[in-house]
Amino acid sequence: MKVKKIYQFLNDKYPFYEQEVWDNSGLNLGSFKKEVKAVLLTLDITLKVIAEAIEKNCDLIISHHPLLISEIKEVNLDKLIGKKLELLIKNDISVLSLHTNYDLSSEGMNYQLAKKMKLDKIEVAKSNPLMYKGYFKGDLDTFIAKIKDTFKLDFVRYTGEDLADFKVGVIGGSGASEKILNDYKKEKLDLFITGDIKSHFAKDATELNFNILDVSHNIENIFTEMIENDFLKLELKVIKSRINTEPFKLK
């Protein structure tokens, strides 16, 4: 099966034209004409992930986070991105990425996260097409314990008060912004969940009496599971990466 057919298959469900203007979803490296026998699914493309693709004879890596998202003006083989590109090209491995086009899909990242969290009455937020919201019946400690178990998290970070029977908003990845503070009020949330929360955002949220749960960016690892399910419709060898790309360790 050629890269082009795989691209078209994904585009039918997660249209690439719907990605954010700053994003670089789509074919990051390779050729649409390339024949693919095996695909590796991953959240991020690290050197270890590339080595895994080489070891498992994969012709295509499909990632959530694009390999090329910031502008590069040189391909310096002594730098990290240069080393990655060199390994991929030498081993004839193409790269497709589904980032914000997947996040914005009605069956994409944040909908799937809300489902995994077992929220009730899940729906997209009116104020933000990236956010999905729902309800949890129970106390906060029980909810956090379930999230840590479901997503295999060593730790989470929380700022706020104890809660019971609350309304939740979810944006995977890095969803904290000034706009979110406004969306929190508009959606009448009791808790907002995302990753990569900076100190100043947490302080602002605390002063506004907003409850914020940081579950790390790597909660988006469900991407590989969901895309693997999509590929059951195709006769193609698909492998979920075994590499954990979470950079932080609990000490």
Side-chain angles (χ1 to χ4, degrees):
M1 186 177 299
K2 294 189 183 300
V3 171
K4 184 66 174 179
K5 185 173 181 179
I6 297 170
Y7 176 93
Q8 290 171 336
F9 170 76
L10 294 168
N11 187 61
D12 287 342
K13 190 167 186 179
Y14 313 109
F16 287 99
Y17 71 84
E18 290 186 350
Q19 66 183 283
E20 298 281 5
V21 293
W22 51 264
D23 194 15
N24 194 31
S25 294
L27 184 66
N28 273 206
L29 180 68
S31 168
F32 282 121
K33 298 177 182 178
K34 178 176 175 53
E35 192 70 29
V36 176
K37 294 180 181 178
V39 176
L40 184 71
L41 303 177
T42 183
L43 180 62
D44 303 290
I45 299 179
T46 65
L47 290 173
K48 287 184 178 180
V49 168
I50 295 171
E52 183 183 26
I54 295 169
E55 179 189 350
K56 295 179 178 178
N57 297 313
C58 293
D59 315 283
L60 173 66
I61 296 175
I62 295 179
S63 68
H64 181 50
H65 298 133
L67 173 69
L68 302 173
I69 195 163
S70 301
E71 181 182 359
I72 60 171
K73 297 183 178 181
E74 63 175 4
V75 181
N76 185 332
L77 304 187
D78 294 324
K79 293 185 177 180
L80 182 58
I81 186 61
K83 291 177 182 177
K84 292 180 182 181
L85 291 171
E86 180 184 26
L87 279 172
L88 290 164
I89 292 169
K90 279 185 176 180
N91 289 279
D92 197 18
I93 299 172
S94 296
V95 174
L96 270 175
S97 298
L98 293 88
H99 192 206
T100 54
N101 61 313
Y102 180 72
D103 290 344
L104 287 162
S105 168
S106 61
E107 296 183 28
M109 180 63 71
N110 298 307
Y111 171 73
Q112 299 296 347
L113 287 172
K115 275 184 65 179
K116 283 276 191 181
M117 292 173 185
K118 302 290 176 60
L119 299 182
D120 295 324
K121 299 180 182 179
I122 297 170
E123 61 181 346
V124 65
K126 293 179 180 178
S127 61
N128 189 329
L130 270 175
M131 184 194 296
Y132 273 76
K133 59 184 182 178
Y135 295 86
F136 180 79
K137 190 171 181 61
D139 62 71
L140 181 67
D141 286 344
T142 300
F143 181 63
I144 289 176
K146 286 184 176 181
I147 285 181
K148 289 171 70 176
D149 180 62
T150 299
F151 297 101
K152 304 296 185 273
L153 302 175
D154 291 327
F155 64 94
V156 297
R157 298 190 302 167
Y158 179 66
T159 174
E161 305 296 330
D162 288 338
L163 297 171
D165 301 340
F166 44 92
K167 187 177 183 181
V168 182
V170 182
I171 295 181
S174 181
S177 66
E178 185 175 344
K179 181 182 184 306
I180 286 296
L181 296 176
N182 293 323
D183 295 340
Y184 189 110
K185 290 187 288 186
K186 289 178 183 177
E187 301 295 334
K188 299 180 180 179
L189 300 179
D190 299 304
L191 175 68
F192 175 61
I193 301 175
T194 191
D196 297 345
I197 293 176
K198 294 183 178 180
S199 178
H200 76 269
F201 180 88
K203 289 175 181 177
D204 288 349
T206 300
E207 287 199 84
L208 291 166
N209 296 315
F210 293 167
N211 304 302
I212 310 293
L213 183 63
D214 186 333
V215 291
S216 91
H217 211 118
N218 265 50
I219 198 173
E220 293 186 318
N221 257 327
I222 63 163
F223 170 82
T224 60
E225 176 186 338
M226 299 303 141
I227 298 299
E228 183 184 40
N229 290 337
D230 289 337
F231 272 102
L232 293 175
K233 301 172 185 176
L234 298 181
E235 293 183 4
L236 187 65
K237 183 179 181 181
V238 176
I239 302 167
K240 288 195 300 182
S241 174
R242 293 179 177 272
I243 305 299
N244 181 5
T245 60
E246 170 62 70
F248 295 105
K249 295 181 181 179
L250 184 61
K251 291 288 191 181

